[in-house]
Amino acid sequence: MLETLYRGLTHLAGPAVRRLLDRRAARGKEDPARRAERLGEPTLPRPAGRLVWLHAASVGESLAILPLVERLLAADTGAHALVTTGTVTSAALMAKRLPRRAMHQYVPVDLPGACRQFLDHWRPDLVLWVESEFWPNLLGEVRRRRLPCALVNARLSEASFRGWRRFPGAARRLLSGFRLALAQTDAEAARLRALGIADVRAVGNLKYSAEPLPADAGALAALREAVGERPVWVFASSHAGEEEVAAEAHARLAGILPDLLTLLVPRHPERGPEIAARLAGRGLAVARRAAQQSITPQIQVYVADTLGELGLFFRLAPVAAVGGSFVGIGGHNPIEPALLGSAVLYGPCMTNFAAIAEELEAEGGALRVADAAALAREVGRLLADGTARNARTAAAAAVAERNRRAVDRVLAALAPLLEEAGFARTAA
């Protein structure tokens, strides 16, 4: 009933959705040059042969599946991969990071016509849906076409689970197209079973299987020369409200570390000018990377408002605070700094990475801090105490290494679907 109602309403929603896309484009949240993709009109031809379609909502999910894409294509040299996402930032990252024979398109908005046109063109042989962004019309079209479909790296919070439980019939119908669900944890597997997916397995988190973030060697050498012997830390993937946390922590530390350099990497680089202006308004000397401004001895905060360079700054800074965790976003991937030798801190809200955070904290590989004052205290302690800093990075690296075979478990579980869709089997 709810699915029928939703489908009927979205049949009528075309004009409103187009206006919404226009408003988002005006705010830099859509790519005007590729607007057609959002309406189901492809801008690339479908390659001949087998095609696996992987849908990942945004940056974190798309980065997590890169090891899976690489392994699938390495095993089957005649296959191609289509990765869809919904954000400008993830599209730019995929343009840099996808391997040969993989391509990116924006996911179509959930209008019936757009979904049909998208699937008519791409005709995927296998569909892999990532984490927990469920679009009823798009998944409904996949189900009606009887396409082999699995949910991978599945994540479903307790709050989302309670919401779905209010509409059990709709949830069961929506999720019935998934032949298999591969959950990150046992708790999430149990929730997905309760919503009606029959074959659910907990295989771990693909984010553990990602390779360390890349960095340009020349750019890293130039940054190291500019920083010299100054104490330096990074606040990574910050959201609105967290730049103030970083600025307050810097101010508290500057009394004991007058030469301190704070690296600030906003999650959305287009916010760079606004962030720099606010920090300058607090009396801080600020430089912006996107404006090609240098790190001089007088600069206190360096805003790295570029895309795809986080690997540079985790390598540069011995201590990293992970953003999205001080303002209720749910946190970002703490494994990324851990793999590059940066001691990991984050705020109180890590719901997006609850299991990873719990394991890191239990092993001494990361620390959760309550606010800017606690952040400043811990950054100062780690910068001053190399032994404590090295112990934390070693513990985090051990946790990451212990979990790196998640992609092997995912591939093993997918083997029957891969075979059914005509793909070559992957080696473990």
Side-chain angles (χ1 to χ4, degrees), residues 388-402:
R389 189 172 67 244
N390 292 338
R392 179 164 302 170
T393 57
V399 170
E401 185 58 34
R402 199 161 62 230

Side-chain angles (χ1 to χ4, degrees), residues 375-392:
L375 176 62
R377 283 196 302 272
E378 190 61 19
V379 169
R381 185 180 77 84
L382 289 169
L383 287 176
D385 188 345
T387 301
R389 189 172 67 244
N390 292 338
R392 179 164 302 170

